Amino acid sequence: MGDGGDAGRGVRLVLLGAPGSGKGTQAARLAAWGDVPNISTGEMLRQAVGEGSELGRRVRDIMAAGELVDDATMADVVRERLAAPDAAQGFVLDGFPRTLAQVTELDSILEAAGRGLDAVVAIEVPEAVLTQRMLDRKRQDGRDDDKREVIEERLRVYRSKTEPLAEHYRRRGLLRVVDGDREMDAVTESILRALAVEA
Ligand code: AMP
C-alpha cells in the first residue's frame, strides 16, 4: 500500500464512517502506513466485554442493542489510551468521536497534550450497501450486533448522532470525504491521495 517511506509517519487521524463502511479496515491500513497505533474504541470495548471487566460488564448490553456507550465513559477510555507511550507519535482513531460531546472531549484531550488532528476522513457508502455488508459480516464472524434489527438501530444512531460530526469538521477545514463504495484498495488509495494533496 502507498509508496512506503515516511510519508504518513506521526499522522493524527480520525476516521468517520457508518457501521459497514469499511472504516475498520481502512483504519488498520492507515495506521500501518503512518506507523502509529490503530485505536478502535469498538475493539477495546469488545475486548473488555470478552474479559468480563468492570467496563465490559457495564457496556455489554448497550453494545448488543446497538446503542452508544455514554460520553464520559468513552472519554475516559480514550484519554487513557492516548496517554500510552505508543500514541505519542500519532494515532488513527476508529469509532471515536461519535457524538459532538465526544468531539469536545477529544479536543480537550489533544489540547492538554499540545497536539491537534491532521485530518478527519469520512468514508461514504450508500445505506443499502451498508446493510448488506453487515449481514455478510454476521455470517462470517458472528458479531452479535450484526443482527438485522441491531444493524438498523446502529445506522439510525449513526445518522442522528455521528453524521453531524462531518459538517463540524468540514467547518474546521479538517474533513476529507472519500467514496467507500469501491474495492478496499481503491478506497485506501483515495484516502492517501486526499491526505497528501489536501492535508
Ligand atoms: P464499532 O466497532 O466502532 O462499530 O463499535 C461497536 C459498539 O461499541 C458501538 O455500537 C457502541 O455500542 C460502542 N462504541 C464504540 N465506540 C463508541 C463511542 N465512541 N461512543 C459510544 N459508543 C461506542
Side-chain angles (χ1 to χ4, degrees), residues 45 48-62:
L45 295 178
V49 170
E51 287 165 356
S53 67
E54 195 271 327
L55 172 66
R57 288 195 304 275
R58 209 142 41 84
V59 303
R60 187 186 53 204
D61 293 350
I62 300 170

Side-chain angles (χ1 to χ4, degrees), residues 82-94:
L82 286 177
D86 68 334
Q89 300 308 318
F91 51 80
V92 175
L93 272 175
D94 162 13

Side-chain angles (χ1 to χ4, degrees), residues 12 14 82 91 93 104-118 172:
R12 290 183 297 265
V14 163
L82 286 177
F91 51 80
L93 272 175
T104 306
E105 293 283 2
L106 179 59
D107 285 342
S108 76
I109 293 168
L110 294 178
E111 206 173 280
R115 301 181 277 181
L117 291 174
D118 294 316
R172 289 168 59 175

Side-chain angles (χ1 to χ4, degrees), residues 41-42 45-46 63 67 69 74 95-96 98 102 143 154:
T41 48
L45 295 178
R46 275 187 289 280
M63 291 178 74
E67 305 298 340
V69 173
M74 293 313 302
F96 184 95
R98 253 179 160 96
Q102 292 180 14
R143 255 178 73 162
R154 290 170 69 211

